[in-house]
Amino acid sequence: MIGSSRADEPGTSEEGSATLSTSPVAAYALALGDDALILGQRLIEWVTHAPELEEEVALANISLDLLGQARTLLTYAGSFDGRDEDALAYRRAPEQFRCVHLVERPNGDFGATVARQLLFSAYQFELYDALTASADPTLAGLAGKAVKEVAYHRDHASLWTLRLGDGTKVSRGRMQDGLAAMWPYADELFAPDPATAGLVGLGAAVDPAALRPAWTRYVESVLAEATLTVPQMTPAPGGGRSGIHTPEFGALLEEMTSLHLEHPGAQW
Amino acid sequence: MSEWPLWEVFVRPRRGLGHAHVGSLHAPDAEMALRNARDLYTRRQEGVSIWVVPAGSITASSPEEKDSFFDPAGDKVYRHPTFYTLPPEVDHL
């Protein structure tokens, strides 16, 4: 049920504000939170469209895990300048989002979605695993809880990669095509983010480049077992952490924010 | 519509209890059936252990055999352990 809208909703004065908090911790939480939020939104698009009812529930569960992570991270990011999670999720312009391009990519077919899940969850697993040792107690706490969820996401994606890759000729082709569609966007996951680089030395954030060797080992071992080829492709330019997004991002954001725009302050 | 085989799901609610049937689902193989069972039947911490069994592997008693299977036990009250006198100090047996 949608609650009544409130004309005097707090926080609306920030609407359209071009300024984001200058705290590096807030920027870091915002970037990680946006990754989780936008991938969660992409995955929920599968609901009512998944190949099987059981798989639909699996994807929706993963989406809800990501939404939970996003809520914690956005609430934390907003706490630095007095904005709540809804203000950050629903009342920012596209260029104020800090998510990487991989999470914005359209779902494509099931093979492409599985490929994106494999690449992203393998990255997010290493990220949260390292972040459990963060000097920032909120980030460390979130990571400790989320790493268990993401271990399952990674397991889910790996099992499907094996089955599609080492399956029929059609499933193998689709899985390989899906990898090709997502692979160029993996590079950005490990690119340095100038806004938060200072946090690495303080032990609060994780250097993304340091996650790459373990990620490569994991992903390549799954692809080898699935009899798939590791794509050799030129990386996409990236820029998500600076607010540059892919053309499909606008439509995603429009759908995600439509209910909130129509019923400001709506609550379940 | 689904071509995936049917699996029966058994969940152990907590240690010390037996696995109980909770429902069924479709999955391409046992490993995926276990994952689907986790997502469908234990999202709210309902269990500590899951079994999945191919539905075709279960041999069930048929409704037509109900009379010969179950009715003969109806008048054999001596099969219930209710005819013993318990010493008074045994309270909770």
Side-chain angles (χ1 to χ4, degrees):
Chain A
M1 290 294 289
I2 297 160
S4 59
S5 61
R6 292 171 296 160
D8 60 340
E9 193 195 13
T12 39
S13 58
E14 269 114 6
E15 188 167 1
S17 161
T19 54
L20 291 168
S21 170
T22 50
S23 158
V25 176
Y28 191 61
L30 190 68
L32 303 190
D34 281 351
D35 284 352
L37 178 70
I38 300 305
L39 184 57
Q41 178 68 20
R42 272 292 182 230
L43 286 176
I44 216 71
E45 290 173 11
W46 273 107
V47 171
T48 74
H49 294 97
E52 296 283 342
L53 184 60
E54 285 81 354
E55 192 49 39
E56 186 165 295
V57 176
L59 292 171
N61 271 345
I62 292 171
S63 171
L64 286 172
D65 284 346
L66 291 167
L67 185 62
Q69 296 164 18
R71 292 189 62 184
T72 303
L73 287 163
L74 294 187
T75 299
Y76 187 43
S79 70
F80 288 82
D81 60 6
R83 280 184 290 182
D84 66 6
E85 52 181 331
D86 281 1
L88 286 171
Y90 298 129
R91 290 204 296 274
R92 273 185 295 160
E95 67 274 12
Q96 293 175 324
F97 278 80
R98 293 290 175 266
C99 51
V100 293
H101 291 180
L102 180 63
V103 298
E104 319 170 358
R105 299 314 299 146
N107 287 333
D109 64 10
F110 189 64
T113 290
V114 168
R116 190 183 57 205
Q117 282 304 107
L118 178 69
L119 304 187
F120 188 77
S121 62
Y123 152 78
Q124 210 184 23
F125 177 82
E126 301 300 335
L127 169 72
Y128 285 150
D129 192 42
L131 210 52
T132 55
S134 169
D136 183 298
T138 305
L139 293 176
L142 173 271
K145 177 173 175 285
V147 73
K148 291 183 211 162
E149 296 170 346
V150 176
Y152 185 81
H153 304 174
R154 191 177 71 158
D155 177 66
H156 174 266
S158 304
L159 289 180
W160 271 119
T161 303
L162 295 177
R163 279 157 181 76
L164 296 175
D166 196 13
T168 65
K169 201 177 164 206
V170 173
S171 73
R172 186 176 195 286
R174 286 197 179 205
M175 192 63 226
Q176 192 71 59
D177 290 348
L179 274 174
M182 301 298 172
W183 196 265
Y185 301 94
D187 211 59
E188 188 187 3
L189 298 170
F190 309 104
D193 178 8
T196 59
L199 295 174
V200 176
L202 300 173
V206 176
D207 175 14
L211 305 172
R212 189 155 203 166
W215 178 87
T216 304
R217 267 196 306 280
Y218 183 83
V219 170
E220 291 192 355
S221 75
V222 173
L223 297 188
E225 199 184 335
T227 74
L228 292 161
T229 312
V230 178
Q232 303 294 328
M233 302 174 80
T234 311
R241 296 278 189 248
S242 347
I244 301 161
H245 295 285
T246 52
E248 296 87 348
F249 183 63
L252 177 149
L253 204 57
E254 202 172 306
E255 179 168 280
M256 188 175 82
T257 56
S258 59
L259 189 139
H260 192 86
L261 288 178
E262 201 168 328
H263 306 275
Q267 298 203 353
W268 292 97
Chain B
M1 196 172 100
S2 172
E3 292 178 7
W4 286 353
L6 188 66
W7 302 77
E8 299 298 334
V9 181
F10 299 79
V11 170
R12 165 184 281 184
R14 58 178 190 271
R15 289 177 66 83
L17 295 181
H19 288 72
H21 185 241
V22 293
S24 56
L25 54 79
H26 291 96
D29 54 48
E31 212 176 356
M32 296 304 293
L34 213 46
R35 266 71 179 178
N36 289 348
R38 177 258 194 198
D39 283 335
L40 287 165
Y41 294 111
T42 64
R43 317 179 51 197
R44 299 174 189 89
Q45 293 189 298
E46 289 93 338
V48 294
S49 165
I50 303 173
W51 289 347
V52 289
V53 179
S57 297
I58 292 179
T59 309
S61 62
S62 76
E64 297 85 70
E65 289 174 316
K66 182 175 159 289
D67 288 352
S68 61
F69 255 63
F70 304 115
D71 280 5
D75 61 351
K76 297 177 176 62
V77 289
Y78 48 84
R79 289 180 179 174
H80 295 276
T82 52
F83 296 91
Y84 303 98
T85 329
L86 292 178
E89 56 271 21
V90 181
D91 281 340
H92 300 294
L93 199 65

